[in-house]
Amino acid sequence: MLFAAMALVGCKEEDFTAPSFLHIEGINVDISDEDPLSYNMGFYRSDIVAAYVVAHYPGSMSVDTVGLFRLPFTTPLLFNGQADYIDIYPAIEQSGISGTLPYYTFYDKIHLTAGDSTTFVSGDTLNIGTLTTRYSAFTHKLFWASFDHDEGSVRFDSTLVTVNNSDSACTGDGYGELTVSAADLTKRFAISGDPFSVSDPSSIVYLELDTRSDVRLQVYMHSAYVNGGAEDVLPVMVINPTDKWQHMYINLGRTWAYFNHHATFKISFSALNTDGIEGKVRIDNVKLITTNVVL
């Protein structure tokens, strides 16, 4: 009781500082200024749903981890004045793993310094609106297909047809379409050509694409377990039907690990029509990317 009373006496009204607030509306991905991975804006379609926020204040010996927040958000900060810097790490919802919000290391962190708007006033909200990030310079593009006129030939087998219709496409003027009949319980298509090669087993490998499908869509990886071994096929994940375009972030790491990180692999897809309906599978903005940058 004595310590509680001393604490109450020592806490003066003028010691209290009202929190300030930080508001971020959203984060978009933009084309890089130098050596962009693509000049097609469909490449930069994204679904950044959250952000990790870190701040450094004058005189502090360490950074303050503010937290992870779903966008848009407003969060309090126990600080009044100009921060040295604020770092914002874009986070995505990893497809197939509910509730997982990793920092997507393919995207650059957003670094706001004192030269930007980093001044906080107790009781007020600093609204920095919608921010922009870019693909990291350490991102390596293995494959890209936009199905647009200006992209040339599309590297898929003939089962998947290109539809040129800007009104129906996710972005641009085209998309890939697979027609499924009621008799088709499964129907496959694949990225054709030579296998993809990733020699560094520590690399992160992701498949990004937009889908709009009437049936479930299974993603597969094809590879061998050892050099010179026979090719096997393993499922990666199932994408559920949706009547709107959705952006997927599919981590191929676990399946690649089953293959002992074999240097080469292929990717294929299969419509799973267990209900025996007639429908369409549509895909757009398909890219396979890798990086060796890990936090």
Side-chain angles (χ1 to χ4, degrees):
M1 294 292 294
L2 175 61
F3 288 109
M6 290 174 62
L8 288 172
V9 170
C11 181
K12 300 178 181 179
E13 185 175 344
E14 59 264 24
D15 293 336
F16 173 75
T17 299
S20 55
F21 298 88
L22 171 67
H23 177 82
I24 299 178
E25 188 65 24
I27 303 175
N28 296 326
V29 182
D30 199 2
I31 186 170
S32 299
D33 293 330
E34 297 182 3
D35 299 323
L37 292 166
S38 174
Y39 288 98
N40 186 306
M41 291 309 298
F43 189 94
Y44 304 95
R45 179 168 154 81
S46 62
D47 188 16
I48 298 172
V49 298
Y52 292 85
V53 180
V54 171
H56 190 275
Y57 306 127
S60 177
M61 298 297 292
S62 61
V63 297
D64 179 37
T65 301
V66 181
L68 168 65
F69 308 98
R70 280 192 172 270
L71 294 161
F73 66 84
T74 303
T75 184
L77 282 78
L78 298 177
F79 177 72
N80 179 52
Q82 186 175 70
D84 291 330
Y85 64 81
I86 303 169
D87 284 341
I88 299 157
Y89 297 83
I92 54 95
E93 198 162 74
Q94 187 170 297
S95 302
I97 304 181
S98 178
T100 303
L101 297 171
Y103 163 50
Y104 198 52
T105 57
F106 293 97
Y107 295 150
D108 285 331
K109 73 177 180 183
I110 301 165
H111 185 65
L112 302 177
T113 65
D116 302 305
S117 181
T118 60
T119 301
F120 296 92
V121 178
S122 294
D124 289 347
T125 298
L126 174 62
N127 185 346
I128 55 179
T130 299
L131 299 170
T132 299
T133 185
R134 292 178 171 88
Y135 275 95
S136 162
F138 299 99
T139 298
H140 178 57
K141 178 179 65 177
L142 298 175
F143 176 79
W144 161 241
S146 71
F147 302 93
D148 292 341
H149 279 111
D150 58 357
E151 289 290 310
S153 61
V154 177
R155 220 183 94 184
F156 279 88
D157 59 38
S158 59
T159 309
L160 187 77
V161 300
T162 298
V163 176
N164 296 121
N165 186 334
S166 58
D167 292 334
S168 301
C170 179
T171 61
D173 57 26
Y175 59 94
E177 183 176 88
L178 179 76
T179 300
V180 180
S181 72
D184 292 323
L185 296 182
T186 62
K187 193 170 183 179
R188 286 184 176 248
F189 63 96
I191 301 176
S192 58
D194 294 334
F196 303 108
S197 178
V198 181
S199 58
D200 183 356
S202 67
S203 295
I204 301 173
V205 185
Y206 264 78
L207 173 69
E208 284 191 53
L209 74 160
D210 294 297
T211 66
R212 183 163 66 92
S213 178
D214 301 320
V215 299
R216 293 185 301 157
L217 180 64
Q218 174 80 66
V219 181
Y220 297 92
M221 179 180 279
H222 304 236
S223 191
Y225 298 98
V226 295
N227 289 333
E231 181 183 272
D232 196 5
V233 183
L234 293 177
V236 177
M237 69 163 290
V238 175
I239 302 172
N240 289 324
T242 176
D243 59 358
K244 297 180 180 179
W245 286 104
Q246 61 178 344
H247 192 74
M248 311 297 296
Y249 293 93
I250 302 175
N251 189 343
L252 300 177
R254 176 179 293 184
T255 310
W256 192 34
Y258 289 149
F259 283 118
N260 299 310
H261 298 105
H262 194 257
T264 61
F265 58 87
K266 292 186 175 182
I267 300 296
S268 71
F269 306 82
S270 181
L272 304 179
N273 189 17
T274 53
D275 294 329
I277 66 171
E278 294 183 356
K280 306 279 189 183
V281 173
R282 304 168 189 86
I283 63 172
D284 203 354
N285 302 320
V286 183
K287 60 178 172 281
L288 190 62
I289 51 178
T290 181
T291 184
N292 56 9
V293 176
V294 184
L295 273 189

